[in-house]
Structures are given as structure tokens and as C-alpha cells.
Amino acid sequence: MNEEIVLPALSKDLIDKLDKLYPDKCPLLTDEERMVWFKVGQRSVINYLQQIYDEQLQDNIITKD
């Protein structure tokens, strides 16, 4: 199955809020390995949504809010 996943229009406000909740920062030396991977997973979702938002802007699916 090779279906393309189309996300709904994203909002810059949503991306900004998620970016503040899950910032792109280095893990603490005291973080356990499992927590490091958990935080990496959270951040990868934010990065993916930002990429999709940028593509939606470029393709004129949305306008800057």
C-alpha cells in the first residue's frame, strides 16, 4: 500500500506552541537513555510538522497567519 498521507492545514500558532513545549535542545547528562529517545521522538514530530507547514506555505495551501 503506497498511499500518500495528506495532513490538514497547519497553523503557525500550533507549531510555535509545540516548539515551546518540546524545545530543540540537548539532553541532560543525567537523563536516562530511554528518556533521551523519548524526547527525541517528541522533537521529531515537531520538526516534521514544521516541514509540512513550510511545504503548505510554499504550495499556497495556507497563508502565513
Side-chain angles (χ1 to χ4, degrees):
M1 193 181 320
N2 195 9
E3 288 184 36
E4 181 180 347
I5 297 173
V6 179
L7 293 177
L10 297 172
S11 113
K12 184 65 173 157
D13 290 338
L14 173 64
I15 305 270
D16 290 345
K17 180 66 174 179
L18 290 172
D19 189 46
K20 287 181 182 177
L21 287 171
Y22 308 106
D24 190 7
K25 65 178 187 177
C26 294
L28 302 173
L29 291 174
T30 56
D31 285 346
E32 293 186 19
E33 183 178 357
R34 183 177 177 145
M35 184 54 68
V36 171
W37 288 114
F38 181 74
K39 290 178 181 179
V40 166
Q42 290 175 325
R43 188 59 211 183
S44 70
V45 171
I46 311 308
N47 293 343
Y48 175 73
L49 291 175
Q50 179 66 55
Q51 176 187 344
I52 297 300
Y53 175 80
D54 292 341
E55 289 173 8
Q56 289 178 350
L57 275 176
Q58 184 178 6
D59 294 342
N60 294 317
I61 294 171
I62 58 172
T63 58
K64 282 195 174 192
D65 13 63

